[in-house]
Amino acid sequence: MTRYIIQRLGESAVVIALMSFLIYALIGLMPGDPIDLMISSDPRLTPADAARLRAVYGLDRPLLERYLSWAVAALGGDFGNSRLHVRPVLDVMPTFLLNTVKLMGLSFVISVTVAIPAGVYAAARQNSRFDHIVNLLCFAGISVPVFWLALMLIIVFSVMIPILPASGVGSIGGGGVWDAVRHLVLPVTTLTIFSIGSYTRFVRAAMIEVLRQDYIRTALAKGAGRARVIWVHALRNAMIPVVTVVALSFGTLLSGALITETMFAYPGMGKLIYDSIMGNDYNMALVTLLFATAVTLAANLLADIAYAWLDPRISYGGSEGVRP
Amino acid sequence: MTFARAFAACILTLVLLSCGEQPKKSHDTLVIGMTQYPATLNPNIESMLAKTYVLAMANRPLTHVDTSWNRVCALCETLPTLENGLAKPEKLPDGKTGVAVTYTINRNAKWGDGTPITTRDVAFTIEVGKHPASGVADGELYRRILKLDVKDDKAFTLHMDRLTYDYNALDSLNLLPAHIERKNFADPKEYRTRTAFDTDSTNPGLYFGPYRVTEKQVGTRIVLEPNPSWWGKKPAFGKVVVQIIENTAAMEANLLSGSIDYIAGELGLSLDQGIAFAKRHGEKFDVTFKPGLVYEHLDLNLENPILKDVRVRRALILALDRQAITDKLFEGRQPVADSFVNPLDWIHSKDTPKYSRDLARAGALLDEAGWAKKGVDGIRRNERGERLSLELMTTAGNRTRELVQQVLQSQWREAGIDIRIRNEPARVFFGETVTKRKFTGMALFAWLSAPESVPRLMLHSEHITSARNNWSGQNYTSYANSEVDRLLDAIETELDREKRRVLWARLQKIYAEDLPVIPLFFRADPFIVPKWLTGIAPTGHQDPTTYWVENWGVRQ
């Protein structure tokens, strides 16, 4: 297993290196560079001035050369300055990342906590009234547009029944932990309602599949309790596809939720990435996108490790193992 | 039961969280909702309305335009003029005429940390502005300054390279505090990232206006509190909070919930949202619509063989009912434009040709231009059987513009003109298509100008954008008219107001006859003000209402 993890970490490093070049090149292909933006704010800038500024900022050099300079500096811990925030990228990112971890982390934990029992219950009582209600709520959660849901929650809980703050991360002047938690309620609810539906559907589908297996019938015939069969034997096996889905969504977790963040004026990673791409903030866009890539790779590695834990037949150490 | 218990626990948690008392609203704090966060607070880096809006409460330029559209001193004591002798023409070594303008900084002016504002700050600001690597927004101002003569701590003379009618305007000279910023300018190339306005934004020594920045949450809010060193009228609020909410629907809900008090007209709801809001909640708020200098228009690509013909351009405008567009879509709150000059500006000429819808005249002009035949699809064709078809582009996702675009398309279709709509995200549209003149037909967007602003960049032939000039300039239509070039040069250097008025009238007339651009209307901003808030005076020009924030108060 250790060898496997080291090998995967090596592969991940190569993927990140390749991605860094790809992202750098793609951003370089986008219309306009920082000097174009200077020209738009000072259209009288002469062509000679523009050319000189491009030289000063190194934008006149070939893309590969610029990338290599950036990569060398990045390896030394210098990821450059953010054009939009006029500060080093690594000074800006933590605030946004922390906000996203709070928002998305809470939403993720609540979604998974509710989705697993709900999905298992619905699968165990397939076609019951409970199953129908869960299905209905799941489809409603998946189908409802996030921006509309967010707006409705603001109107109901901040305008009609004014009990929760409509936006931001805290009250003016600071209001402590309780105040911060209250500001999280509506955005977390929005994201949770959206994600809970899909997670529940995955758990339910996986459980139904497992509950049809012969070994479940055998266990029940041998007199094992129904609850034990469902929660211990079936759930553990049903978790393999669920872990894949959860791992993939975990990768996107730290990239933020653009729409929810915009609706609730919540400064998170989604807005940071979007604004940096739209605002020609090369360094910030590059680092945030690479960060999202790294998190996705890490989440997938964790998922692979979880497979082995969930199903002892899976082994990464030798040729006799079964690869998922 | 396990699930039921977990579900009940979630509900209970939600109820408990919701039970916290909403913070009490007080009129001592004013919360302004705005859609954009300023990228920097350095007054001379990046040109951005959001930044101007916030900084106008904390800093002021040497001069600015008042609510009556007259230039006045903001930080100086007396506006220099040729009449009062503070401005004097002077001969330059190359034989041209320049001007020496003498300003005196307000004797009481101090930075928020008590350091007097002096000519040291002026010299430093000019040094930064003139440095090629500093990347200031209005480089042109600094290029025009030939020399600075310091007379004493407060008085200085600027020697400018030309004598223009706006010789005394220093609207974009925002002083930088030398005692704080000098060390950050040690490496000019790094100044953008080291400026204290962004690295130490709450330093009181950076501000001298009625308020100063005391808290900054990146992307979320900026808090300002009264500045004890301000020498003018004492501001009314103990705190002004600029809250950033980018989504306008959410902004509206925040206003109704009381999370914000006021939506900035300059960077708030769109006009259609403002109209709808006024209908629903007009009794709770004072909603005013102020038309301004944002000029919505269609740039025409004059290199397109169809649009090269002035008869086609005139037919295009005659086929439009712009008044009906503004009446139906904007309840008549956006005045139809005859040219780039707003009727609120003194240079506006009543003699400018006006176009109202006349399909017969439009048809006759198109016939004359060779687009006489009509196909079975109702679209006109020329002798070679080519369809009269043009591409119309704008910024994708801009609901108002897309709506206008559809009405234009249907009105032109009635005149036998086919319009193909192709929109792009703003980033691509402005970053590539418009700047590099890649639109083949028409581009719908807006210009923001200042009162009596010479449209040299948009109309002078030397500013036609091309690869040769590194795509600088803003003459995207490739319009070239030698008389217009002469007029633009003459207006800039004509000091006599009445003589200038004649030149302006001629320029507007040619513009409306040549139609390199199809004027649509002047955009109006909705200001949604709570009934208890007084003193907000929208001007219609480029200076935001916060330049007069010290006049804002609470209705007694």
Side-chain angles (χ1 to χ4, degrees), chain B residues 327-362:
Chain B
D327 287 345
K328 299 276 186 220
L329 298 185
F330 311 118
E331 297 197 341
R333 295 189 188 277
Q334 300 207 128
V336 169
D338 302 323
S339 75
F340 56 89
V341 178
N342 189 301
L344 293 167
D345 203 341
W346 73 270
I347 59 170
H348 180 257
S349 165
K350 290 194 170 66
D351 300 330
T352 306
K354 291 170 180 53
Y355 296 92
S356 46
R357 193 173 209 209
D358 188 339
L359 280 177
R361 260 182 77 201

Short mmCIF file of all heavy atoms in Angstrom, two decimals, chain B residues 327-362:
data_model
loop_
_atom_site.label_atom_id
_atom_site.label_comp_id
_atom_site.label_asym_id
_atom_site.label_seq_id
_atom_site.Cartn_x
_atom_site.Cartn_y
_atom_site.Cartn_z
N ASP B 327 -39.60 54.36 -24.41
CA ASP B 327 -40.93 54.40 -23.76
C ASP B 327 -41.37 53.03 -23.29
O ASP B 327 -41.85 52.86 -22.18
CB ASP B 327 -41.98 54.96 -24.73
CG ASP B 327 -41.80 56.47 -24.94
OD1 ASP B 327 -41.09 57.09 -24.12
OD2 ASP B 327 -42.36 57.01 -25.91
N LYS B 328 -41.20 52.05 -24.18
CA LYS B 328 -41.70 50.70 -23.85
C LYS B 328 -40.80 49.97 -22.87
O LYS B 328 -41.27 49.32 -21.95
CB LYS B 328 -41.81 49.85 -25.13
CG LYS B 328 -42.75 50.40 -26.17
CD LYS B 328 -44.19 50.00 -25.91
CE LYS B 328 -45.07 50.46 -27.04
NZ LYS B 328 -46.36 50.97 -26.62
N LEU B 329 -39.50 50.07 -23.08
CA LEU B 329 -38.60 49.28 -22.23
C LEU B 329 -38.19 50.02 -20.96
O LEU B 329 -37.94 49.40 -19.94
CB LEU B 329 -37.33 48.89 -23.01
CG LEU B 329 -37.49 48.01 -24.24
CD1 LEU B 329 -36.12 47.65 -24.79
CD2 LEU B 329 -38.27 46.76 -23.91
N PHE B 330 -38.13 51.36 -21.04
CA PHE B 330 -37.59 52.10 -19.89
C PHE B 330 -38.55 53.18 -19.39
O PHE B 330 -38.11 54.13 -18.73
CB PHE B 330 -36.23 52.73 -20.26
CG PHE B 330 -35.28 51.77 -20.90
CD1 PHE B 330 -34.82 51.96 -22.20
CD2 PHE B 330 -34.85 50.64 -20.22
CE1 PHE B 330 -33.95 51.07 -22.80
CE2 PHE B 330 -33.98 49.75 -20.81
CZ PHE B 330 -33.53 49.95 -22.11
N GLU B 331 -39.80 53.05 -19.73
CA GLU B 331 -40.82 54.02 -19.32
C GLU B 331 -40.38 55.45 -19.60
O GLU B 331 -40.67 56.38 -18.83
CB GLU B 331 -41.15 53.85 -17.83
CG GLU B 331 -41.77 52.48 -17.56
CD GLU B 331 -42.48 52.41 -16.23
OE1 GLU B 331 -42.22 53.25 -15.35
OE2 GLU B 331 -43.30 51.49 -16.09
N GLY B 332 -39.68 55.63 -20.69
CA GLY B 332 -39.27 56.97 -21.12
C GLY B 332 -38.22 57.63 -20.25
O GLY B 332 -37.96 58.83 -20.38
N ARG B 333 -37.59 56.85 -19.37
CA ARG B 333 -36.65 57.47 -18.42
C ARG B 333 -35.25 57.61 -18.99
O ARG B 333 -34.39 58.22 -18.36
CB ARG B 333 -36.60 56.66 -17.13
CG ARG B 333 -37.93 56.68 -16.40
CD ARG B 333 -37.82 56.05 -15.03
NE ARG B 333 -39.12 55.91 -14.42
CZ ARG B 333 -39.74 56.87 -13.76
NH1 ARG B 333 -39.20 58.06 -13.66
NH2 ARG B 333 -40.93 56.65 -13.22
N GLN B 334 -34.99 57.02 -20.15
CA GLN B 334 -33.67 57.18 -20.77
C GLN B 334 -33.84 58.07 -22.00
O GLN B 334 -34.41 57.62 -23.00
CB GLN B 334 -33.10 55.82 -21.17
CG GLN B 334 -32.94 54.89 -19.99
CD GLN B 334 -31.84 53.86 -20.17
OE1 GLN B 334 -30.98 53.73 -19.32
NE2 GLN B 334 -31.89 53.12 -21.24
N PRO B 335 -33.38 59.31 -21.97
CA PRO B 335 -33.59 60.21 -23.11
C PRO B 335 -32.89 59.71 -24.36
O PRO B 335 -31.76 59.21 -24.30
CB PRO B 335 -33.02 61.55 -22.64
CG PRO B 335 -32.21 61.25 -21.45
CD PRO B 335 -32.66 59.95 -20.87
N VAL B 336 -33.58 59.88 -25.49
CA VAL B 336 -32.99 59.50 -26.78
C VAL B 336 -31.82 60.44 -27.07
O VAL B 336 -31.89 61.63 -26.80
CB VAL B 336 -34.05 59.60 -27.90
CG1 VAL B 336 -33.42 59.47 -29.28
CG2 VAL B 336 -35.12 58.54 -27.71
N ALA B 337 -30.73 59.86 -27.59
CA ALA B 337 -29.53 60.67 -27.88
C ALA B 337 -29.54 61.11 -29.35
O ALA B 337 -29.85 60.32 -30.23
CB ALA B 337 -28.29 59.84 -27.59
N ASP B 338 -29.20 62.39 -29.57
CA ASP B 338 -29.03 62.87 -30.95
C ASP B 338 -27.57 62.74 -31.36
O ASP B 338 -27.26 62.65 -32.54
CB ASP B 338 -29.41 64.35 -31.04
CG ASP B 338 -30.83 64.59 -30.59
OD1 ASP B 338 -31.68 63.74 -30.89
OD2 ASP B 338 -31.09 65.63 -29.94
N SER B 339 -26.70 62.79 -30.35
CA SER B 339 -25.27 62.65 -30.62
C SER B 339 -24.64 62.17 -29.31
O SER B 339 -25.35 61.78 -28.39
CB SER B 339 -24.67 63.99 -31.04
OG SER B 339 -24.55 64.82 -29.91
N PHE B 340 -23.32 62.29 -29.23
CA PHE B 340 -22.63 61.86 -28.01
C PHE B 340 -22.78 62.88 -26.87
O PHE B 340 -22.35 62.64 -25.76
CB PHE B 340 -21.14 61.64 -28.30
CG PHE B 340 -20.47 62.85 -28.87
CD1 PHE B 340 -19.90 63.80 -28.04
CD2 PHE B 340 -20.43 63.07 -30.25
CE1 PHE B 340 -19.30 64.93 -28.56
CE2 PHE B 340 -19.85 64.21 -30.78
CZ PHE B 340 -19.28 65.14 -29.93
N VAL B 341 -23.37 64.05 -27.17
CA VAL B 341 -23.47 65.10 -26.16
C VAL B 341 -24.82 65.03 -25.44
O VAL B 341 -25.88 65.06 -26.08
CB VAL B 341 -23.28 66.50 -26.78
CG1 VAL B 341 -23.42 67.58 -25.72
CG2 VAL B 341 -21.92 66.60 -27.45
N ASN B 342 -24.74 64.94 -24.12
CA ASN B 342 -25.95 64.87 -23.30
C ASN B 342 -26.63 66.24 -23.26
O ASN B 342 -25.94 67.25 -23.12
CB ASN B 342 -25.55 64.44 -21.88
CG ASN B 342 -26.75 64.12 -21.02
OD1 ASN B 342 -27.62 64.96 -20.82
ND2 ASN B 342 -26.78 62.90 -20.52
N PRO B 343 -27.97 66.30 -23.39
CA PRO B 343 -28.66 67.60 -23.32
C PRO B 343 -28.40 68.36 -22.02
O PRO B 343 -28.60 69.57 -21.97
CB PRO B 343 -30.15 67.22 -23.43
CG PRO B 343 -30.15 65.87 -24.04
CD PRO B 343 -28.89 65.20 -23.65
N LEU B 344 -27.93 67.67 -20.98
CA LEU B 344 -27.63 68.37 -19.72
C LEU B 344 -26.33 69.17 -19.81
O LEU B 344 -26.08 70.05 -19.00
CB LEU B 344 -27.48 67.35 -18.57
CG LEU B 344 -28.73 66.58 -18.16
CD1 LEU B 344 -28.36 65.41 -17.26
CD2 LEU B 344 -29.70 67.51 -17.44
N ASP B 345 -25.52 68.88 -20.82
CA ASP B 345 -24.22 69.53 -20.96
C ASP B 345 -24.41 70.86 -21.72
O ASP B 345 -25.15 70.90 -22.70
CB ASP B 345 -23.29 68.59 -21.75
CG ASP B 345 -21.83 68.88 -21.51
OD1 ASP B 345 -21.51 69.99 -21.05
OD2 ASP B 345 -21.00 67.99 -21.80
N TRP B 346 -23.70 71.90 -21.30
CA TRP B 346 -23.91 73.22 -21.93
C TRP B 346 -23.50 73.23 -23.40
O TRP B 346 -23.95 74.07 -24.16
CB TRP B 346 -23.15 74.32 -21.16
CG TRP B 346 -21.65 74.30 -21.35
CD1 TRP B 346 -20.76 73.63 -20.60
CD2 TRP B 346 -20.90 74.96 -22.36
NE1 TRP B 346 -19.48 73.82 -21.06
CE2 TRP B 346 -19.54 74.65 -22.15
CE3 TRP B 346 -21.22 75.79 -23.43
CZ2 TRP B 346 -18.51 75.12 -22.96
CZ3 TRP B 346 -20.20 76.26 -24.24
CH2 TRP B 346 -18.85 75.93 -24.01
N ILE B 347 -22.67 72.30 -23.82
CA ILE B 347 -22.21 72.30 -25.21
C ILE B 347 -23.24 71.66 -26.15
O ILE B 347 -23.08 71.68 -27.36
CB ILE B 347 -20.87 71.55 -25.37
CG1 ILE B 347 -21.00 70.10 -24.90
CG2 ILE B 347 -19.77 72.25 -24.60
CD1 ILE B 347 -19.79 69.24 -25.23
N HIS B 348 -24.32 71.11 -25.58
CA HIS B 348 -25.33 70.45 -26.42
C HIS B 348 -25.95 71.47 -27.38
O HIS B 348 -26.31 72.58 -26.99
CB HIS B 348 -26.41 69.83 -25.53
CG HIS B 348 -27.48 69.14 -26.32
ND1 HIS B 348 -28.73 69.69 -26.52
CD2 HIS B 348 -27.48 67.96 -26.97
CE1 HIS B 348 -29.46 68.87 -27.24
NE2 HIS B 348 -28.73 67.81 -27.53
N SER B 349 -26.05 71.07 -28.63
CA SER B 349 -26.61 71.98 -29.65
C SER B 349 -28.00 71.52 -30.06
O SER B 349 -28.20 70.35 -30.41
CB SER B 349 -25.68 72.00 -30.87
OG SER B 349 -26.35 72.57 -31.95
N LYS B 350 -28.91 72.49 -30.04
CA LYS B 350 -30.30 72.16 -30.45
C LYS B 350 -30.39 71.99 -31.97
O LYS B 350 -31.38 71.48 -32.48
CB LYS B 350 -31.25 73.28 -30.00
CG LYS B 350 -31.43 73.32 -28.48
CD LYS B 350 -32.62 74.18 -28.11
CE LYS B 350 -32.98 74.04 -26.64
NZ LYS B 350 -31.94 74.57 -25.74
N ASP B 351 -29.36 72.46 -32.69
CA ASP B 351 -29.40 72.38 -34.16
C ASP B 351 -28.92 71.03 -34.69
O ASP B 351 -28.87 70.83 -35.90
CB ASP B 351 -28.52 73.49 -34.76
CG ASP B 351 -29.01 74.86 -34.34
OD1 ASP B 351 -30.24 74.99 -34.12
OD2 ASP B 351 -28.18 75.79 -34.21
N THR B 352 -28.55 70.14 -33.81
CA THR B 352 -28.09 68.82 -34.27
C THR B 352 -29.25 68.10 -34.96
O THR B 352 -30.36 68.06 -34.42
CB THR B 352 -27.63 67.99 -33.05
OG1 THR B 352 -26.66 68.74 -32.33
CG2 THR B 352 -27.05 66.66 -33.48
N PRO B 353 -29.02 67.56 -36.17
CA PRO B 353 -30.11 66.84 -36.85
C PRO B 353 -30.69 65.73 -35.98
O PRO B 353 -29.95 65.03 -35.29
CB PRO B 353 -29.42 66.25 -38.08
CG PRO B 353 -28.21 67.09 -38.29
CD PRO B 353 -27.79 67.57 -36.94
N LYS B 354 -32.03 65.64 -36.01
CA LYS B 354 -32.71 64.63 -35.20
C LYS B 354 -33.38 63.64 -36.14
O LYS B 354 -33.84 64.03 -37.21
CB LYS B 354 -33.74 65.28 -34.28
CG LYS B 354 -33.09 66.13 -33.20
CD LYS B 354 -34.08 66.96 -32.44
CE LYS B 354 -33.36 67.78 -31.36
NZ LYS B 354 -32.25 68.60 -31.84
N TYR B 355 -33.44 62.43 -35.71
CA TYR B 355 -34.05 61.39 -36.56
C TYR B 355 -35.19 60.73 -35.81
O TYR B 355 -34.98 60.18 -34.72
CB TYR B 355 -33.02 60.32 -36.92
CG TYR B 355 -31.86 60.82 -37.75
CD1 TYR B 355 -30.68 61.26 -37.14
CD2 TYR B 355 -31.93 60.86 -39.14
CE1 TYR B 355 -29.60 61.72 -37.87
CE2 TYR B 355 -30.84 61.32 -39.89
CZ TYR B 355 -29.69 61.74 -39.26
OH TYR B 355 -28.62 62.19 -40.01
N SER B 356 -36.38 60.83 -36.39
CA SER B 356 -37.47 60.00 -35.85
C SER B 356 -37.82 58.99 -36.94
O SER B 356 -37.40 59.12 -38.10
CB SER B 356 -38.66 60.85 -35.46
OG SER B 356 -38.95 61.76 -36.47
N ARG B 357 -38.61 58.01 -36.57
CA ARG B 357 -38.82 56.90 -37.50
C ARG B 357 -39.54 57.35 -38.77
O ARG B 357 -40.58 58.02 -38.70
CB ARG B 357 -39.63 55.79 -36.83
CG ARG B 357 -39.57 54.52 -37.66
CD ARG B 357 -40.22 53.37 -36.98
NE ARG B 357 -39.57 52.13 -37.40
CZ ARG B 357 -40.18 50.96 -37.45
NH1 ARG B 357 -41.43 50.85 -37.05
NH2 ARG B 357 -39.54 49.89 -37.86
N ASP B 358 -38.96 57.01 -39.93
CA ASP B 358 -39.56 57.34 -41.21
C ASP B 358 -39.17 56.22 -42.18
O ASP B 358 -38.15 56.28 -42.87
CB ASP B 358 -39.01 58.70 -41.68
CG ASP B 358 -39.75 59.21 -42.91
OD1 ASP B 358 -40.36 58.37 -43.62
OD2 ASP B 358 -39.70 60.42 -43.18
N LEU B 359 -40.02 55.19 -42.20
CA LEU B 359 -39.69 54.01 -43.02
C LEU B 359 -39.64 54.34 -44.51
O LEU B 359 -38.84 53.76 -45.26
CB LEU B 359 -40.70 52.90 -42.75
CG LEU B 359 -40.48 52.07 -41.48
CD1 LEU B 359 -41.58 51.05 -41.28
CD2 LEU B 359 -39.12 51.38 -41.49
N ALA B 360 -40.49 55.30 -44.94
CA ALA B 360 -40.50 55.66 -46.37
C ALA B 360 -39.16 56.27 -46.77
O ALA B 360 -38.56 55.88 -47.79
CB ALA B 360 -41.65 56.63 -46.63
N ARG B 361 -38.65 57.20 -45.93
CA ARG B 361 -37.35 57.83 -46.23
C ARG B 361 -36.22 56.81 -46.15
O ARG B 361 -35.30 56.81 -46.96
CB ARG B 361 -37.07 58.96 -45.25
CG ARG B 361 -37.39 60.35 -45.86
CD ARG B 361 -37.05 61.44 -44.87
NE ARG B 361 -35.62 61.70 -44.79
CZ ARG B 361 -35.02 62.30 -43.75
NH1 ARG B 361 -35.75 62.65 -42.70
NH2 ARG B 361 -33.74 62.53 -43.77
N ALA B 362 -36.33 55.93 -45.17
CA ALA B 362 -35.30 54.89 -45.02
C ALA B 362 -35.29 54.01 -46.27
O ALA B 362 -34.22 53.70 -46.82
CB ALA B 362 -35.58 54.06 -43.78
#
